[in-house]
Amino acid sequence: MTSPLPSFSAASVLDLAPVVPVLVVEDAAEAVPLARALVAGGLPAIEVTLRTPAALDAIREISGSVPEAVVGAGTVITPEQVTACGEAGARFLVSPGWTDALLTAMRASGMPFLPGVSTTSEVVALLERGVREMKFFPAQAAGGTAYLRSLAGPLPQARFCPTGGIGPDNAPEYLSLPNVGCVGGSWMVPADAVAARDWQRIEELARTASRLRTAGGTCR
């Protein structure tokens, strides 16, 4: 078995792989083989969104059975969820947006966290609070690569994980930007493959995604 990954900071969450799979897990029994397929394909950082009743159990299963994965919780929107995710074994937190109360809870948890932003003012407000690693969401709807490129000049200290409307066709353009550490997406876990428990197909899609940063010479 592969050794567990070492401890990491919020910045290194962005640097573990070019793509963070964003999972909506309906059945916790699928969590472990799904995580193993993603890790085998070269995507160790896995975000399980809190959109289903099975989410916390899925985080718990991955944390306990796939130590080489860095499992995080996504769609975290309340301080209570921060606590529950930590108890389930999450190693990082991702939110679609943020408030001062949520930010305080995430900081107090001791886990790396990526609060969501979609405007320049939100980015500046987080920088003012000492946060430099953020989720840009919803990426395509909020301005896409053009918006992020425009932020790199005045706010070079901010780094992003764009999520929302990103797939294999536009991910390389995002990854070529100096202020993008990784992107989030779910195209490597198609619903039909999960339903068929076709873990080999998911592993192959993950492997392709893990190479996107250098695909076609367009990425860093």
Side-chain angles (χ1 to χ4, degrees), residues 86-119:
E87 292 173 348
R91 297 180 65 187
F92 65 93
L93 304 168
V94 184
S95 66
W98 64 277
T99 65
D100 281 323
L102 180 59
L103 193 66
T104 296
M106 291 193 294
R107 198 189 299 271
S109 74
M111 286 180 277
F113 56 90
L114 299 173
V117 298
S118 60
T119 69

PDB file of all heavy atoms in Angstrom, residues 86-119:
ATOM      1  N   GLY A  86     -14.600  17.735  10.078  1.00  0.00           N
ATOM      2  CA  GLY A  86     -13.388  17.387  10.797  1.00  0.00           C
ATOM      3  C   GLY A  86     -13.530  16.069  11.523  1.00  0.00           C
ATOM      4  O   GLY A  86     -12.614  15.228  11.517  1.00  0.00           O
ATOM      5  N   GLU A  87     -14.669  15.843  12.140  1.00  0.00           N
ATOM      6  CA  GLU A  87     -14.913  14.595  12.854  1.00  0.00           C
ATOM      7  C   GLU A  87     -14.973  13.404  11.906  1.00  0.00           C
ATOM      8  O   GLU A  87     -14.637  12.279  12.280  1.00  0.00           O
ATOM      9  CB  GLU A  87     -16.206  14.701  13.654  1.00  0.00           C
ATOM     10  CG  GLU A  87     -16.115  15.683  14.819  1.00  0.00           C
ATOM     11  CD  GLU A  87     -17.446  15.917  15.507  1.00  0.00           C
ATOM     12  OE1 GLU A  87     -18.493  15.490  14.940  1.00  0.00           O
ATOM     13  OE2 GLU A  87     -17.458  16.530  16.602  1.00  0.00           O
ATOM     14  N   ALA A  88     -15.383  13.638  10.670  1.00  0.00           N
ATOM     15  CA  ALA A  88     -15.474  12.561   9.683  1.00  0.00           C
ATOM     16  C   ALA A  88     -14.121  12.227   9.059  1.00  0.00           C
ATOM     17  O   ALA A  88     -13.989  11.200   8.399  1.00  0.00           O
ATOM     18  CB  ALA A  88     -16.462  12.936   8.589  1.00  0.00           C
ATOM     19  N   GLY A  89     -13.125  13.091   9.263  1.00  0.00           N
ATOM     20  CA  GLY A  89     -11.798  12.812   8.733  1.00  0.00           C
ATOM     21  C   GLY A  89     -11.379  13.651   7.545  1.00  0.00           C
ATOM     22  O   GLY A  89     -10.366  13.351   6.902  1.00  0.00           O
ATOM     23  N   ALA A  90     -12.132  14.707   7.243  1.00  0.00           N
ATOM     24  CA  ALA A  90     -11.742  15.589   6.139  1.00  0.00           C
ATOM     25  C   ALA A  90     -10.397  16.237   6.444  1.00  0.00           C
ATOM     26  O   ALA A  90     -10.098  16.573   7.592  1.00  0.00           O
ATOM     27  CB  ALA A  90     -12.797  16.664   5.914  1.00  0.00           C
ATOM     28  N   ARG A  91      -9.605  16.444   5.405  1.00  0.00           N
ATOM     29  CA  ARG A  91      -8.283  17.045   5.563  1.00  0.00           C
ATOM     30  C   ARG A  91      -8.194  18.457   5.004  1.00  0.00           C
ATOM     31  O   ARG A  91      -7.205  19.150   5.205  1.00  0.00           O
ATOM     32  CB  ARG A  91      -7.223  16.149   4.925  1.00  0.00           C
ATOM     33  CG  ARG A  91      -7.116  14.787   5.605  1.00  0.00           C
ATOM     34  CD  ARG A  91      -6.074  13.900   4.972  1.00  0.00           C
ATOM     35  NE  ARG A  91      -4.737  14.442   5.132  1.00  0.00           N
ATOM     36  CZ  ARG A  91      -3.652  13.924   4.553  1.00  0.00           C
ATOM     37  NH1 ARG A  91      -3.780  12.877   3.756  1.00  0.00           N
ATOM     38  NH2 ARG A  91      -2.467  14.466   4.745  1.00  0.00           N
ATOM     39  N   PHE A  92      -9.232  18.879   4.278  1.00  0.00           N
ATOM     40  CA  PHE A  92      -9.320  20.279   3.862  1.00  0.00           C
ATOM     41  C   PHE A  92     -10.778  20.609   3.619  1.00  0.00           C
ATOM     42  O   PHE A  92     -11.632  19.718   3.509  1.00  0.00           O
ATOM     43  CB  PHE A  92      -8.455  20.574   2.632  1.00  0.00           C
ATOM     44  CG  PHE A  92      -8.875  19.868   1.363  1.00  0.00           C
ATOM     45  CD1 PHE A  92      -9.733  20.476   0.453  1.00  0.00           C
ATOM     46  CD2 PHE A  92      -8.386  18.606   1.054  1.00  0.00           C
ATOM     47  CE1 PHE A  92     -10.113  19.842  -0.724  1.00  0.00           C
ATOM     48  CE2 PHE A  92      -8.750  17.965  -0.129  1.00  0.00           C
ATOM     49  CZ  PHE A  92      -9.617  18.572  -1.016  1.00  0.00           C
ATOM     50  N   LEU A  93     -11.079  21.899   3.546  1.00  0.00           N
ATOM     51  CA  LEU A  93     -12.451  22.388   3.417  1.00  0.00           C
ATOM     52  C   LEU A  93     -12.557  23.318   2.219  1.00  0.00           C
ATOM     53  O   LEU A  93     -11.643  24.105   1.955  1.00  0.00           O
ATOM     54  CB  LEU A  93     -12.873  23.143   4.674  1.00  0.00           C
ATOM     55  CG  LEU A  93     -12.772  22.392   6.006  1.00  0.00           C
ATOM     56  CD1 LEU A  93     -12.944  23.371   7.173  1.00  0.00           C
ATOM     57  CD2 LEU A  93     -13.806  21.279   6.074  1.00  0.00           C
ATOM     58  N   VAL A  94     -13.684  23.223   1.519  1.00  0.00           N
ATOM     59  CA  VAL A  94     -13.941  24.106   0.383  1.00  0.00           C
ATOM     60  C   VAL A  94     -15.360  24.647   0.517  1.00  0.00           C
ATOM     61  O   VAL A  94     -16.294  23.892   0.794  1.00  0.00           O
ATOM     62  CB  VAL A  94     -13.800  23.357  -0.960  1.00  0.00           C
ATOM     63  CG1 VAL A  94     -13.988  24.330  -2.119  1.00  0.00           C
ATOM     64  CG2 VAL A  94     -12.445  22.671  -1.065  1.00  0.00           C
ATOM     65  N   SER A  95     -15.510  25.945   0.312  1.00  0.00           N
ATOM     66  CA  SER A  95     -16.848  26.550   0.389  1.00  0.00           C
ATOM     67  C   SER A  95     -17.144  27.278  -0.918  1.00  0.00           C
ATOM     68  O   SER A  95     -16.233  27.770  -1.580  1.00  0.00           O
ATOM     69  CB  SER A  95     -16.931  27.535   1.558  1.00  0.00           C
ATOM     70  OG  SER A  95     -16.067  28.639   1.332  1.00  0.00           O
ATOM     71  N   PRO A  96     -18.425  27.369  -1.304  1.00  0.00           N
ATOM     72  CA  PRO A  96     -18.774  28.109  -2.513  1.00  0.00           C
ATOM     73  C   PRO A  96     -18.728  29.623  -2.311  1.00  0.00           C
ATOM     74  O   PRO A  96     -18.690  30.388  -3.271  1.00  0.00           O
ATOM     75  CB  PRO A  96     -20.197  27.636  -2.816  1.00  0.00           C
ATOM     76  CG  PRO A  96     -20.743  27.230  -1.485  1.00  0.00           C
ATOM     77  CD  PRO A  96     -19.584  26.689  -0.706  1.00  0.00           C
ATOM     78  N   GLY A  97     -18.760  30.042  -1.058  1.00  0.00           N
ATOM     79  CA  GLY A  97     -18.687  31.447  -0.691  1.00  0.00           C
ATOM     80  C   GLY A  97     -18.217  31.520   0.754  1.00  0.00           C
ATOM     81  O   GLY A  97     -17.792  30.514   1.316  1.00  0.00           O
ATOM     82  N   TRP A  98     -18.287  32.698   1.361  1.00  0.00           N
ATOM     83  CA  TRP A  98     -17.838  32.771   2.746  1.00  0.00           C
ATOM     84  C   TRP A  98     -18.526  33.922   3.472  1.00  0.00           C
ATOM     85  O   TRP A  98     -18.998  34.877   2.872  1.00  0.00           O
ATOM     86  CB  TRP A  98     -16.319  32.949   2.824  1.00  0.00           C
ATOM     87  CG  TRP A  98     -15.810  34.242   2.243  1.00  0.00           C
ATOM     88  CD1 TRP A  98     -15.552  34.507   0.930  1.00  0.00           C
ATOM     89  CD2 TRP A  98     -15.523  35.451   2.951  1.00  0.00           C
ATOM     90  NE1 TRP A  98     -15.125  35.800   0.773  1.00  0.00           N
ATOM     91  CE2 TRP A  98     -15.089  36.399   1.996  1.00  0.00           C
ATOM     92  CE3 TRP A  98     -15.577  35.828   4.300  1.00  0.00           C
ATOM     93  CZ2 TRP A  98     -14.724  37.693   2.354  1.00  0.00           C
ATOM     94  CZ3 TRP A  98     -15.217  37.131   4.651  1.00  0.00           C
ATOM     95  CH2 TRP A  98     -14.790  38.036   3.684  1.00  0.00           C
ATOM     96  N   THR A  99     -18.571  33.768   4.804  1.00  0.00           N
ATOM     97  CA  THR A  99     -18.975  34.820   5.729  1.00  0.00           C
ATOM     98  C   THR A  99     -17.903  34.883   6.805  1.00  0.00           C
ATOM     99  O   THR A  99     -17.066  33.977   6.925  1.00  0.00           O
ATOM    100  CB  THR A  99     -20.332  34.519   6.385  1.00  0.00           C
ATOM    101  OG1 THR A  99     -20.179  33.333   7.205  1.00  0.00           O
ATOM    102  CG2 THR A  99     -21.414  34.275   5.339  1.00  0.00           C
ATOM    103  N   ASP A 100     -17.940  35.925   7.625  1.00  0.00           N
ATOM    104  CA  ASP A 100     -16.953  36.003   8.702  1.00  0.00           C
ATOM    105  C   ASP A 100     -17.095  34.832   9.672  1.00  0.00           C
ATOM    106  O   ASP A 100     -16.106  34.288  10.153  1.00  0.00           O
ATOM    107  CB  ASP A 100     -17.078  37.331   9.445  1.00  0.00           C
ATOM    108  CG  ASP A 100     -16.419  38.480   8.698  1.00  0.00           C
ATOM    109  OD1 ASP A 100     -15.364  38.256   8.079  1.00  0.00           O
ATOM    110  OD2 ASP A 100     -16.967  39.596   8.715  1.00  0.00           O
ATOM    111  N   ALA A 101     -18.346  34.423   9.964  1.00  0.00           N
ATOM    112  CA  ALA A 101     -18.559  33.306  10.888  1.00  0.00           C
ATOM    113  C   ALA A 101     -18.000  32.008  10.317  1.00  0.00           C
ATOM    114  O   ALA A 101     -17.358  31.223  11.027  1.00  0.00           O
ATOM    115  CB  ALA A 101     -20.047  33.154  11.188  1.00  0.00           C
ATOM    116  N   LEU A 102     -18.243  31.772   9.038  1.00  0.00           N
ATOM    117  CA  LEU A 102     -17.725  30.553   8.413  1.00  0.00           C
ATOM    118  C   LEU A 102     -16.206  30.585   8.347  1.00  0.00           C
ATOM    119  O   LEU A 102     -15.536  29.583   8.630  1.00  0.00           O
ATOM    120  CB  LEU A 102     -18.314  30.406   7.003  1.00  0.00           C
ATOM    121  CG  LEU A 102     -17.878  29.170   6.216  1.00  0.00           C
ATOM    122  CD1 LEU A 102     -18.235  27.883   6.956  1.00  0.00           C
ATOM    123  CD2 LEU A 102     -18.508  29.186   4.831  1.00  0.00           C
ATOM    124  N   LEU A 103     -15.663  31.733   7.993  1.00  0.00           N
ATOM    125  CA  LEU A 103     -14.208  31.866   7.909  1.00  0.00           C
ATOM    126  C   LEU A 103     -13.566  31.618   9.271  1.00  0.00           C
ATOM    127  O   LEU A 103     -12.533  30.927   9.368  1.00  0.00           O
ATOM    128  CB  LEU A 103     -13.842  33.256   7.397  1.00  0.00           C
ATOM    129  CG  LEU A 103     -12.395  33.468   6.955  1.00  0.00           C
ATOM    130  CD1 LEU A 103     -12.085  32.623   5.729  1.00  0.00           C
ATOM    131  CD2 LEU A 103     -12.164  34.946   6.654  1.00  0.00           C
ATOM    132  N   THR A 104     -14.163  32.137  10.325  1.00  0.00           N
ATOM    133  CA  THR A 104     -13.645  31.924  11.677  1.00  0.00           C
ATOM    134  C   THR A 104     -13.653  30.453  12.036  1.00  0.00           C
ATOM    135  O   THR A 104     -12.680  29.924  12.593  1.00  0.00           O
ATOM    136  CB  THR A 104     -14.490  32.716  12.698  1.00  0.00           C
ATOM    137  OG1 THR A 104     -14.357  34.109  12.432  1.00  0.00           O
ATOM    138  CG2 THR A 104     -14.020  32.442  14.129  1.00  0.00           C
ATOM    139  N   ALA A 105     -14.738  29.759  11.697  1.00  0.00           N
ATOM    140  CA  ALA A 105     -14.837  28.331  12.005  1.00  0.00           C
ATOM    141  C   ALA A 105     -13.820  27.516  11.213  1.00  0.00           C
ATOM    142  O   ALA A 105     -13.195  26.597  11.748  1.00  0.00           O
ATOM    143  CB  ALA A 105     -16.250  27.836  11.716  1.00  0.00           C
ATOM    144  N   MET A 106     -13.655  27.841   9.952  1.00  0.00           N
ATOM    145  CA  MET A 106     -12.688  27.102   9.132  1.00  0.00           C
ATOM    146  C   MET A 106     -11.269  27.330   9.636  1.00  0.00           C
ATOM    147  O   MET A 106     -10.470  26.389   9.713  1.00  0.00           O
ATOM    148  CB  MET A 106     -12.827  27.502   7.666  1.00  0.00           C
ATOM    149  CG  MET A 106     -14.113  27.025   7.028  1.00  0.00           C
ATOM    150  SD  MET A 106     -14.157  27.148   5.206  1.00  0.00           S
ATOM    151  CE  MET A 106     -14.110  28.920   4.994  1.00  0.00           C
ATOM    152  N   ARG A 107     -10.963  28.551   9.998  1.00  0.00           N
ATOM    153  CA  ARG A 107      -9.626  28.830  10.515  1.00  0.00           C
ATOM    154  C   ARG A 107      -9.388  28.103  11.843  1.00  0.00           C
ATOM    155  O   ARG A 107      -8.325  27.548  12.079  1.00  0.00           O
ATOM    156  CB  ARG A 107      -9.444  30.342  10.701  1.00  0.00           C
ATOM    157  CG  ARG A 107      -7.990  30.773  10.803  1.00  0.00           C
ATOM    158  CD  ARG A 107      -7.875  32.231  11.210  1.00  0.00           C
ATOM    159  NE  ARG A 107      -8.498  33.149  10.268  1.00  0.00           N
ATOM    160  CZ  ARG A 107      -7.877  33.679   9.215  1.00  0.00           C
ATOM    161  NH1 ARG A 107      -6.633  33.334   8.939  1.00  0.00           N
ATOM    162  NH2 ARG A 107      -8.506  34.529   8.427  1.00  0.00           N
ATOM    163  N   ALA A 108     -10.409  28.083  12.692  1.00  0.00           N
ATOM    164  CA  ALA A 108     -10.278  27.440  14.002  1.00  0.00           C
ATOM    165  C   ALA A 108     -10.152  25.925  13.898  1.00  0.00           C
ATOM    166  O   ALA A 108      -9.627  25.277  14.797  1.00  0.00           O
ATOM    167  CB  ALA A 108     -11.482  27.795  14.880  1.00  0.00           C
ATOM    168  N   SER A 109     -10.621  25.349  12.791  1.00  0.00           N
ATOM    169  CA  SER A 109     -10.575  23.892  12.628  1.00  0.00           C
ATOM    170  C   SER A 109      -9.155  23.359  12.486  1.00  0.00           C
ATOM    171  O   SER A 109      -8.900  22.181  12.735  1.00  0.00           O
ATOM    172  CB  SER A 109     -11.378  23.482  11.390  1.00  0.00           C
ATOM    173  OG  SER A 109     -10.672  23.803  10.202  1.00  0.00           O
ATOM    174  N   GLY A 110      -8.238  24.223  12.070  1.00  0.00           N
ATOM    175  CA  GLY A 110      -6.869  23.778  11.844  1.00  0.00           C
ATOM    176  C   GLY A 110      -6.661  23.127  10.489  1.00  0.00           C
ATOM    177  O   GLY A 110      -5.534  22.803  10.121  1.00  0.00           O
ATOM    178  N   MET A 111      -7.734  22.937   9.733  1.00  0.00           N
ATOM    179  CA  MET A 111      -7.624  22.343   8.399  1.00  0.00           C
ATOM    180  C   MET A 111      -7.369  23.428   7.358  1.00  0.00           C
ATOM    181  O   MET A 111      -7.867  24.549   7.491  1.00  0.00           O
ATOM    182  CB  MET A 111      -8.921  21.609   8.040  1.00  0.00           C
ATOM    183  CG  MET A 111      -9.132  20.299   8.737  1.00  0.00           C
ATOM    184  SD  MET A 111     -10.696  19.514   8.241  1.00  0.00           S
ATOM    185  CE  MET A 111     -11.862  20.372   9.320  1.00  0.00           C
ATOM    186  N   PRO A 112      -6.620  23.123   6.301  1.00  0.00           N
ATOM    187  CA  PRO A 112      -6.529  24.050   5.183  1.00  0.00           C
ATOM    188  C   PRO A 112      -7.920  24.283   4.600  1.00  0.00           C
ATOM    189  O   PRO A 112      -8.758  23.378   4.608  1.00  0.00           O
ATOM    190  CB  PRO A 112      -5.633  23.318   4.182  1.00  0.00           C
ATOM    191  CG  PRO A 112      -4.867  22.336   5.000  1.00  0.00           C
ATOM    192  CD  PRO A 112      -5.789  21.919   6.105  1.00  0.00           C
ATOM    193  N   PHE A 113      -8.171  25.480   4.095  1.00  0.00           N
ATOM    194  CA  PHE A 113      -9.491  25.769   3.558  1.00  0.00           C
ATOM    195  C   PHE A 113      -9.392  26.695   2.359  1.00  0.00           C
ATOM    196  O   PHE A 113      -8.459  27.497   2.248  1.00  0.00           O
ATOM    197  CB  PHE A 113     -10.396  26.383   4.636  1.00  0.00           C
ATOM    198  CG  PHE A 113      -9.845  27.630   5.271  1.00  0.00           C
ATOM    199  CD1 PHE A 113     -10.121  28.880   4.744  1.00  0.00           C
ATOM    200  CD2 PHE A 113      -9.049  27.548   6.408  1.00  0.00           C
ATOM    201  CE1 PHE A 113      -9.608  30.038   5.330  1.00  0.00           C
ATOM    202  CE2 PHE A 113      -8.537  28.695   7.013  1.00  0.00           C
ATOM    203  CZ  PHE A 113      -8.822  29.945   6.469  1.00  0.00           C
ATOM    204  N   LEU A 114     -10.360  26.538   1.457  1.00  0.00           N
ATOM    205  CA  LEU A 114     -10.438  27.353   0.258  1.00  0.00           C
ATOM    206  C   LEU A 114     -11.819  28.005   0.213  1.00  0.00           C
ATOM    207  O   LEU A 114     -12.786  27.405  -0.253  1.00  0.00           O
ATOM    208  CB  LEU A 114     -10.226  26.494  -0.993  1.00  0.00           C
ATOM    209  CG  LEU A 114      -8.876  25.782  -1.112  1.00  0.00           C
ATOM    210  CD1 LEU A 114      -8.894  24.833  -2.303  1.00  0.00           C
ATOM    211  CD2 LEU A 114      -7.743  26.784  -1.231  1.00  0.00           C
ATOM    212  N   PRO A 115     -11.951  29.232   0.717  1.00  0.00           N
ATOM    213  CA  PRO A 115     -13.239  29.919   0.660  1.00  0.00           C
ATOM    214  C   PRO A 115     -13.538  30.385  -0.756  1.00  0.00           C
ATOM    215  O   PRO A 115     -12.635  30.755  -1.503  1.00  0.00           O
ATOM    216  CB  PRO A 115     -13.048  31.102   1.613  1.00  0.00           C
ATOM    217  CG  PRO A 115     -11.576  31.342   1.623  1.00  0.00           C
ATOM    218  CD  PRO A 115     -10.923  30.021   1.406  1.00  0.00           C
ATOM    219  N   GLY A 116     -14.814  30.368  -1.125  1.00  0.00           N
ATOM    220  CA  GLY A 116     -15.195  30.715  -2.480  1.00  0.00           C
ATOM    221  C   GLY A 116     -15.355  32.203  -2.704  1.00  0.00           C
ATOM    222  O   GLY A 116     -15.856  32.930  -1.839  1.00  0.00           O
ATOM    223  N   VAL A 117     -14.920  32.655  -3.882  1.00  0.00           N
ATOM    224  CA  VAL A 117     -15.060  34.061  -4.276  1.00  0.00           C
ATOM    225  C   VAL A 117     -15.497  34.121  -5.737  1.00  0.00           C
ATOM    226  O   VAL A 117     -15.240  33.206  -6.514  1.00  0.00           O
ATOM    227  CB  VAL A 117     -13.743  34.852  -4.116  1.00  0.00           C
ATOM    228  CG1 VAL A 117     -13.295  34.883  -2.668  1.00  0.00           C
ATOM    229  CG2 VAL A 117     -12.639  34.239  -4.987  1.00  0.00           C
ATOM    230  N   SER A 118     -16.155  35.223  -6.091  1.00  0.00           N
ATOM    231  CA  SER A 118     -16.480  35.456  -7.494  1.00  0.00           C
ATOM    232  C   SER A 118     -16.335  36.920  -7.890  1.00  0.00           C
ATOM    233  O   SER A 118     -16.594  37.268  -9.040  1.00  0.00           O
ATOM    234  CB  SER A 118     -17.909  34.986  -7.808  1.00  0.00           C
ATOM    235  OG  SER A 118     -18.856  35.685  -7.028  1.00  0.00           O
ATOM    236  N   THR A 119     -15.900  37.774  -6.941  1.00  0.00           N
ATOM    237  CA  THR A 119     -15.709  39.197  -7.237  1.00  0.00           C
ATOM    238  C   THR A 119     -14.381  39.676  -6.684  1.00  0.00           C
ATOM    239  O   THR A 119     -13.817  39.092  -5.749  1.00  0.00           O
ATOM    240  CB  THR A 119     -16.825  40.059  -6.621  1.00  0.00           C
ATOM    241  OG1 THR A 119     -16.689  40.058  -5.186  1.00  0.00           O
ATOM    242  CG2 THR A 119     -18.201  39.550  -6.998  1.00  0.00           C
TER     243      THR A 119
END
